[in-house]
Amino acid sequence: VLARELNPMKIIIASPNGGIRDLNGRRISLLAFELDGSLQSGIQTNMLPADSKLVQSVGNCFAHIPDLDCTISVTSASGLVKELFTHTGTGTLCRSSHQNSIVKLSPQQFQASEVEEFLCNSFGRPLSDEWVSDIPSRIVSAYIVQKPRR
């Protein structure tokens, strides 16, 4: 419930194992979860029993967090500094397996006013009148990234 209310970009869980481990004790570096919180199909599920419970908790978080780009890191207490201040981390990175879809639009599929508003917001200032009047001839196509919705 707390994760849903705070809507964090990253959650870090301190674990005595320093990450989620397979049955041979090797750290699993990445786990991907479906939108319902279950492990992505085809992912290795042979892990230590204590870590299986932790994976269920992580999946439960993913099932309730609104932001699909949120990641959950499972690391050791000694790995927290590296987890917070570097890109590499030390434990297991858990992420959503969602796929963004890219849609190509032709000029007939969008309004010049929508393009003008988008560009003004992006650049933080109005476009020149000359540029605005030429929007239909300047844009051949547009690509939009769409995220899945909960």
Side-chain angles (χ1 to χ4, degrees):
V1 174
L2 184 61
R4 180 177 51 237
E5 293 301 317
L6 293 176
N7 195 15
M9 291 299 297
K10 185 170 192 172
I11 297 171
I12 300 175
I13 299 171
S15 164
N17 288 340
I20 297 170
R21 307 256 173 202
D22 66 15
L23 291 176
N24 295 319
R26 292 185 302 259
R27 181 180 53 88
I28 300 171
S29 61
L30 176 68
L31 289 175
F33 289 80
E34 300 290 350
L35 294 177
D36 66 0
S38 62
L39 272 174
Q40 184 178 17
S41 60
I43 297 288
Q44 174 186 353
T45 56
N46 296 328
M47 56 192 74
L48 297 174
D51 287 345
S52 294
K53 291 178 184 177
L54 180 57
V55 167
Q56 288 175 345
S57 296
V58 168
N60 190 37
C61 280
F62 275 118
H64 294 94
I65 295 173
D67 187 346
L68 298 176
D69 291 327
C70 177
T71 59
I72 299 175
S73 295
V74 180
T75 189
S76 64
S78 62
L80 283 175
V81 171
K82 189 171 184 182
E83 196 66 49
L84 287 170
F85 300 109
T86 68
H87 290 288
T88 56
T90 58
T92 301
L93 177 65
C94 304
R95 63 172 177 77
S96 172
S97 64
H98 78 276
Q99 297 291 316
N100 292 337
S101 60
I102 300 174
V103 178
K104 181 180 179 180
L105 301 175
S106 67
Q108 297 79 25
Q109 293 175 290
F110 53 83
Q111 301 293 322
S113 60
E114 292 173 330
V115 174
E116 179 183 3
E117 180 183 352
F118 173 77
L119 292 173
C120 287
N121 288 338
S122 297
F123 291 109
R125 62 182 177 87
L127 301 174
S128 70
D129 291 337
E130 176 187 323
W131 211 98
V132 171
S133 64
D134 287 343
I135 285 178
S137 64
R138 289 179 183 261
I139 298 179
V140 176
S141 61
Y143 293 87
I144 299 174
V145 176
Q146 296 176 329
K147 290 184 181 182
R149 297 178 187 256
R150 288 200 186 272

